[in-house]
Amino acid sequence: MILCVGLATVDLVYRVERVPGVDEKAQARSAEVAAGGPALNAAITAAALGAPVTLVTAIGAHPLGDLIRKDLEAHAVRLVDAAHGSEELPPVSTVIVADGTGERTIVSRNAGDRSFPVPEEGLPEAELTLVDGHHPGLAVAAARAARRLVVDAGTWRPVFADILPHADVVACSAAFRSPAALTAPDVIVTHGPGPVLWTRGGRTDRIEVPPVEAADTAGAGDAFHGALAFSLHAGQPVRDAITEAIRVAGVRVRHPGPRSWLNEL
């Protein structure tokens, strides 16, 4: 089983001709409401590829949380809700996608200052754990208990100082900036459409990314991490897992919308 621990959001997704500037208004060509968040998107990707997946996150009892729960149920992802009973609004993001380029702009609150303890029943056991650093208390507990830990290190957060020492694989973007050097056995750095850099034992290899026509880049990194976790869980060598993650992320960016691309895997 794969355990994903981190952020789940409600995403309001607008497609526009171009992203508006300051004091400008834009008429959206389409609008969708969907569940999102790095850990959630990765969990749904891994489940769509065929792995049993459990997501530990914080949603709560607010009516908007039902949208997240239904999306997870529809994609066969088991949910452990650390915010069970909370009436607070779940994390909400606004995602603006530009037609033509597929580039996205995101405004989000993420988890804010909310903090939730590990559920009384503890965390499920898993062969592989993926954490994104959101909900720090849950993330650190999951990292310490993980048999094999993959870290989605998209943006530096202080909690990573407690997570990274436990990591077997760290996958970060080129924009990631850590106060300390990354010392995990395998470090993967993505560069959007550019080559992925994989470092092991002091040696760095470049893995090329095939060019694709982008329709929607929102969640591409999450899809990459979900596919990476799936392949590592299936026993693939790291380089092969990276290649598969690149393929899956490429499928994601070629299709507009949050979920339709899963049918092409």
Side-chain angles (χ1 to χ4, degrees):
M1 191 264 285
I2 296 174
L3 180 66
C4 295
V5 180
L7 187 65
T9 66
V10 175
D11 287 354
L12 311 177
V13 185
Y14 297 97
R15 294 190 69 85
V16 297
E17 182 177 358
R18 66 176 182 85
V19 177
V22 177
D23 288 333
E24 284 188 321
K25 295 181 179 180
Q27 181 66 32
R29 294 184 172 182
S30 66
E32 295 179 89
V33 182
L40 180 142
N41 285 333
I44 287 179
T45 300
L49 289 167
V53 182
T54 296
L55 172 67
V56 178
T57 187
I59 298 172
H62 190 281
L64 280 179
D66 288 341
L67 185 148
I68 301 174
R69 282 185 282 272
K70 289 178 180 178
D71 200 4
L72 292 170
E73 182 179 352
H75 294 93
V77 175
R78 178 185 172 229
L79 170 65
V80 175
D81 185 5
H84 180 72
S86 171
E87 298 290 341
E88 292 187 50
L89 183 74
V92 178
S93 297
T94 298
V95 184
I96 303 174
V97 181
D99 270 343
T101 65
E103 295 174 329
R104 83 284 192 271
T105 299
I106 300 175
V107 179
S108 61
R109 172 65 173 156
N110 292 336
D113 299 325
R114 304 172 79 197
S115 178
F116 298 96
V118 174
E120 291 183 4
E121 65 272 22
L123 298 174
E125 292 189 7
E127 289 78 28
L128 183 142
T129 299
L130 171 69
V131 300
D132 64 12
H134 294 276
H135 299 301
L138 300 175
V140 171
R144 290 173 176 169
R147 296 180 185 174
R148 190 178 189 189
L149 180 65
V150 179
V151 178
D152 167 3
T155 303
W156 170 258
R157 285 179 285 277
V159 69
F160 281 131
D162 295 320
I163 293 173
L164 294 178
H166 303 280
D168 298 283
V169 179
V170 175
C172 56
S173 69
F176 182 80
R177 294 291 182 269
S178 168
L182 294 171
T183 57
D186 290 288
V187 176
I188 301 162
V189 183
T190 60
H191 296 78
V196 174
L197 302 183
W198 167 41
T199 300
R200 168 183 280 186
R203 176 181 173 180
T204 299
D205 289 341
R206 291 164 54 96
I207 303 174
E208 297 297 325
V209 174
V212 299
E213 186 173 343
D216 188 346
T217 60
D222 307 338
F224 180 96
H225 296 127
L228 180 71
F230 170 82
S231 297
L232 293 173
H233 177 263
Q236 293 188 21
V238 175
R239 186 183 184 91
D240 292 347
I242 295 171
T243 300
E244 173 64 2
I246 291 170
R247 182 193 72 82
V248 170
V251 174
R252 197 277 164 266
V253 302
R254 290 198 301 269
H255 297 82
R259 298 286 179 254
S260 62
W261 67 278
L262 295 171
N263 297 325
E264 305 299 323
L265 289 178

